[in-house]
Amino acid sequence: MGFLSLRTAALGVLTISFVVFVALFGRLPIFRKTPIGFLHRLLWIYIPHGISRLDMLLLGGRLVPCSLQSISQLMFVPRAWPRLGAIHRVFVPIAIAVPYALLYASITTKCFITPENVKTELAHYPYDRILFHPGNECSTCRTLKPARSKHCSICNACVSRHDHHCIWLTNCVGRENYRYFLGLLVTLSAMLIYGMCLGYKLLEENLQKVFGRGDVRWSKSVSWTTFINYWAGAVADDIRIGAIFLLAAMTVPLALGFLAYHVYLIWAGMTTNETAKWDEWKEDIADGLIYKAKRSEIYRTPRPRDESIEPTSQWPATTDQVLIMTDGAPPRIGFSISTQSNTILQAEDEHAPADPRFHRVETLQAIENIYDLGFWGNLRDAVNL
Ligand SMILES: [Zn+2]
Ligand SMILES: [Zn+2]
């Protein structure tokens, strides 16, 4: 059995931990202007963009999402198959096929807003008049922008309930394919954990075969350094299974991290796109610029709704809040509110008293998010049921 030195093994483990750390935490504001921030962009933006541009050029954008997965499986499965028990011979093909099906659905399902479907799209979500305001038109598509939608410059289309543009899928994740995307994260995580456990089991069997004494486990009463050294040897000795075992172990935290992030988004009633908008609100609140009042107190007679711009939606949540942004001073009696944003025009009389109906917002929690129906409600909406 060929052995790697302990130093090589330790170096490998350190490198893997570092890459995982950068991938998961490099986006945090604290690393923004540091080499870690740069490595994070390298890992998530520059390298994937480079590969996908090459992929577009050579194969029309179909290869990247499938290739990594396929290469790994071609290396692993034929090698491991003869040693797998009957149950694994049933589960391995399922574990491989399901993520492929969901990947295919995530790539091919588009969520574009067109002149034909814009009317239906407008009715999916009401405008919250915080992040989304009625009556805005996309300057490229020339269609009204439904609440929660966003124009994607890569897809060159407005996307319904835009979450994010995924460079690995070469498609936007939105209202129609979020369920497949979420399913992909779940099944991919499961497949990686399964692959890691299978790899571990097979390598462990190799070690037992060579170093075990009858029923006594090979690892019984060996030191940590010897344990790691033997494992490094096992990986090097059966490199096809060893490399995939390491790759799975390395990518499991990434897949689980992504899955956890999207579970958090569902819990919070946000899309990835909206998190950036809420972050801006958080900053404005910290700067003391945001004031809140009861809508019913400000508009005694509700303004008539223009059905062509803002059709009635079936969305169950409503709110009685009206938010405005000032220069920091409380709104003076006689101010007016812009209908397209949350900014106000202060009253012309500089000495007018503050409007007592408004109160300064102290935390983001004081703002109601009408897109948040609670975890199960949000999940049902996210998977479009
Ligand atoms: Zn657009
Ligand atoms: Zn896109």
Side-chain angles (χ1 to χ4, degrees):
M1 181 178 273
F3 283 94
L4 295 175
S5 73
L6 183 60
R7 215 180 57 175
T8 322
L11 221 74
V13 169
L14 269 178
T15 314
I16 291 169
S17 320
F18 182 68
V19 170
V20 170
F21 177 81
V22 167
L24 285 181
F25 302 110
R27 195 179 145 195
L28 295 180
I30 192 173
F31 295 123
R32 200 163 279 165
K33 284 191 179 119
T34 65
I36 297 206
F38 171 76
L39 285 175
H40 181 264
R41 286 197 301 280
L42 187 76
L43 199 65
W44 286 121
I45 300 172
Y46 306 141
I47 294 179
H49 265 298
I51 298 175
S52 91
R53 210 167 294 155
L54 198 73
D55 179 29
M56 276 292 179
L57 253 154
L58 300 176
L59 294 141
R62 292 288 150 81
L63 177 82
V64 166
C66 307
S67 57
L68 271 174
Q69 212 177 319
S70 314
I71 294 169
S72 312
Q73 287 158 359
L74 282 174
M75 275 174 71
F76 185 86
V77 176
R79 175 88 184 164
W81 192 260
R83 292 171 58 189
L84 294 179
I87 289 182
H88 291 301
R89 287 185 181 188
V90 173
F91 279 115
V92 166
I94 295 174
I96 290 173
V98 176
Y100 270 120
L102 290 165
L103 184 69
Y104 180 79
S106 304
I107 294 173
T108 51
T109 309
K110 307 289 177 191
C111 320
F112 299 157
I113 294 161
T114 60
E116 288 73 44
N117 69 13
V118 67
K119 235 179 149 178
T120 340
E121 293 291 341
L122 281 167
H124 283 321
Y125 301 103
Y127 289 98
D128 63 351
R129 288 179 162 76
I130 304 173
L131 309 182
F132 304 98
H133 295 270
N136 290 314
E137 209 177 65
C138 171
S139 56
T140 313
C141 310
R142 294 278 160 213
T143 47
L144 283 168
K145 290 167 111 168
R148 313 194 84 180
S149 71
K150 191 193 170 209
H151 182 84
C152 171
S153 54
I154 305 170
C155 298
N156 198 28
C158 275
V159 174
S160 178
R161 194 189 184 272
H162 184 271
D163 192 87
H164 67 288
H165 179 89
C166 178
I167 36 180
W168 296 112
L169 299 177
T170 59
N171 190 18
C172 263
V173 177
R175 190 179 150 81
E176 309 304 324
N177 64 353
Y178 191 82
R179 55 185 141 173
Y180 305 129
F181 173 74
L182 201 65
L184 178 64
L185 286 184
V186 172
T187 53
L188 207 60
S189 303
M191 185 194 76
L192 287 169
I193 292 172
Y194 185 37
M196 185 179 76
C197 294
L198 267 186
Y200 178 89
K201 182 175 161 279
L202 295 175
L203 294 176
E204 174 77 24
E205 278 172 15
N206 286 353
L207 283 166
Q208 182 66 17
K209 223 182 287 166
V210 179
F211 298 110
R213 292 170 299 275
D215 282 345
V216 184
R217 301 219 349 116
W218 72 272
S219 53
K220 194 167 186 271
S221 64
V222 298
S223 69
W224 269 105
T225 45
T226 319
F227 182 82
I228 292 172
N229 223 354
Y230 276 33
W231 257 96
V235 166
D237 190 53
D238 199 340
I239 194 71
R240 276 171 65 178
I241 288 179
I244 302 310
F245 163 70
L246 281 185
L247 190 71
M250 191 175 97
T251 41
V252 160
L254 284 182
L256 286 179
F258 259 126
L259 182 59
Y261 180 63
H262 278 273
V263 170
Y264 158 75
L265 288 180
I266 292 169
W267 170 79
M270 294 189 285
T271 61
T272 305
N273 173 42
E274 287 158 13
T275 56
K277 291 173 183 278
W278 284 118
D279 280 348
E280 283 170 26
W281 275 88
K282 205 172 174 182
E283 278 174 29
D284 291 334
I285 289 169
D287 291 341
L289 308 182
I290 307 299
Y291 287 82
K292 181 175 136 173
K294 284 203 168 102
R295 181 164 287 275
S296 51
E297 281 182 5
I298 303 296
Y299 304 108
R300 291 293 159 108
T301 44
R303 285 185 290 189
R305 176 196 284 268
D306 182 347
E307 278 289 324
S308 66
I309 290 174
E310 201 182 356
T312 317
S313 92
Q314 298 298 311
W315 192 251
T318 53
T319 171
D320 189 31
Q321 70 186 354
V322 57
L323 294 172
I324 56 165
M325 184 185 292
T326 72
D327 53 3
R332 288 191 293 270
I333 287 178
F335 70 91
S336 54
I337 300 181
S338 155
T339 52
Q340 303 282 303
S341 69
N342 301 84
T343 47
I344 63 156
L345 297 169
Q346 283 285 22
E348 282 183 18
D349 177 7
E350 276 181 36
H351 303 291
D355 189 326
R357 298 170 299 179
F358 279 92
H359 302 281
R360 196 197 290 267
V361 177
E362 305 289 344
T363 62
L364 194 59
Q365 281 70 39
I367 296 181
E368 287 170 54
N369 172 11
I370 58 163
Y371 305 126
D372 181 9
L373 302 176
F375 182 78
W376 296 109
N378 296 344
L379 182 66
R380 223 171 296 132
D381 173 60
V383 300
N384 220 342
L385 280 178

